[in-house]
Amino acid sequence: MVLLYGQRDNFTLEQLLSLRALFSEERRRSYYGKKLDTYIRLYLDRFSDTRLINCLTKQEETIVADENKYTLLVFSASWCAPCHKLIPLLKELNEKKKSVMDVVYVTLDTPEQLPAWNQLLAKENISWRSLSVGGRLNEIREKYKVRAIPYSYLIYPQKSKTEKVDIRDAGDKLKIENLKLAE
């Protein structure tokens, strides 16, 4: 277990999990077994970025544009009325926190629905980036566990941590309003 923990950065998550499973329960509860479990939990919390198509430029981009800032990732769609109700709140948070946080939309609209999405962006004067899943709707919904929208994640700088947030919740909104970058 000591050697596995010492070489942990040389393995993928899947390899680490497979190798860890080879050890007895006693070894997994050892000091280095627990350290490895902590490392794996941190690994699992890291944000797994994806390249999607920018709705305006039609260029491929990663979801996280600036790894030195927080990213508020919001899954939305042109046909989603509850998503539309979030726009004033998102505008408020974007204005207050733009020095430490980027907001990015990922629309679940199909390619045929994108004109309606782009009309919504123009009508609402949305200033943050908007990315499209294109033909990868099911893949993206599964990867990010999006069961219903609106659905949001707060991604920490360096993609070190990801947590589900709901800005309609007073506690989550306050958490975002209190974000600061490490100095």
Side-chain angles (χ1 to χ4, degrees):
M1 192 58 77
V2 172
L3 292 174
L4 178 57
Y5 180 76
Q7 295 297 314
R8 67 193 177 279
D9 292 327
N10 296 328
F11 298 102
T12 66
L13 176 60
E14 292 76 22
Q15 290 170 328
L16 276 176
L17 292 170
S18 294
L19 290 168
R20 182 186 172 280
L22 297 173
F23 288 88
S24 69
E25 187 61 36
E26 180 183 356
R27 293 285 180 217
R28 283 184 264 168
R29 285 193 312 253
S30 70
Y31 175 78
Y32 282 99
K34 289 176 183 173
K35 284 182 73 75
L36 184 62
D37 286 349
T38 299
Y39 177 81
I40 289 170
R41 273 195 303 282
L42 290 173
Y43 200 123
L44 290 170
D45 284 344
R46 291 187 64 78
F47 180 70
S48 176
D49 214 338
T50 299
R51 296 184 70 78
L52 297 172
I53 303 298
N54 184 302
C55 292
L56 295 177
T57 68
K58 309 297 184 222
Q59 300 297 310
E60 232 184 49
E61 308 178 351
T62 56
I63 293 171
V64 175
D66 184 348
E67 289 191 18
N68 295 313
K69 294 169 88 174
Y70 291 88
T71 300
L72 180 62
L73 167 59
V74 182
F75 290 91
S76 188
S78 63
W79 42 264
C80 173
C83 299
H84 299 184
K85 289 181 181 176
L86 284 184
I87 292 172
L89 190 50
L90 287 168
K91 283 182 173 181
E92 176 190 328
L93 288 172
N94 184 55
E95 191 57 37
K96 284 181 183 176
K97 302 311 293 183
K98 62 184 165 190
S99 66
V100 298
M101 181 185 77
D102 290 330
V103 176
V104 62
Y105 265 144
V106 170
T107 178
L108 300 183
D109 282 298
T110 63
E112 299 79 33
Q113 295 167 320
L114 276 180
W117 176 253
N118 287 331
Q119 285 176 349
L120 174 69
L121 295 178
K123 177 182 160 229
E124 294 292 342
N125 199 24
I126 303 297
S127 62
W128 54 86
R129 291 181 319 125
S130 177
L131 306 175
S132 168
V133 297
R136 300 168 53 198
L137 177 63
N138 292 335
E139 171 195 339
I140 298 302
R141 286 185 81 131
E142 183 63 30
K143 179 173 182 172
Y144 296 109
K145 297 170 181 36
V146 180
R147 304 292 177 244
I149 54 176
Y151 196 85
S152 304
Y153 285 108
L154 180 62
I155 305 161
Y156 285 65
Q158 269 50 72
K159 304 179 201 176
S160 62
K161 181 179 172 185
T162 305
E163 65 181 290
K164 183 188 175 314
V165 292
D166 184 345
I167 62 170
R168 298 168 292 189
D169 175 82
D172 284 352
K173 183 180 181 224
L174 185 61
K175 177 187 295 185
I176 292 169
E177 288 174 341
N178 290 326
L179 292 176
K180 292 182 174 73
L181 293 176
E183 297 184 18

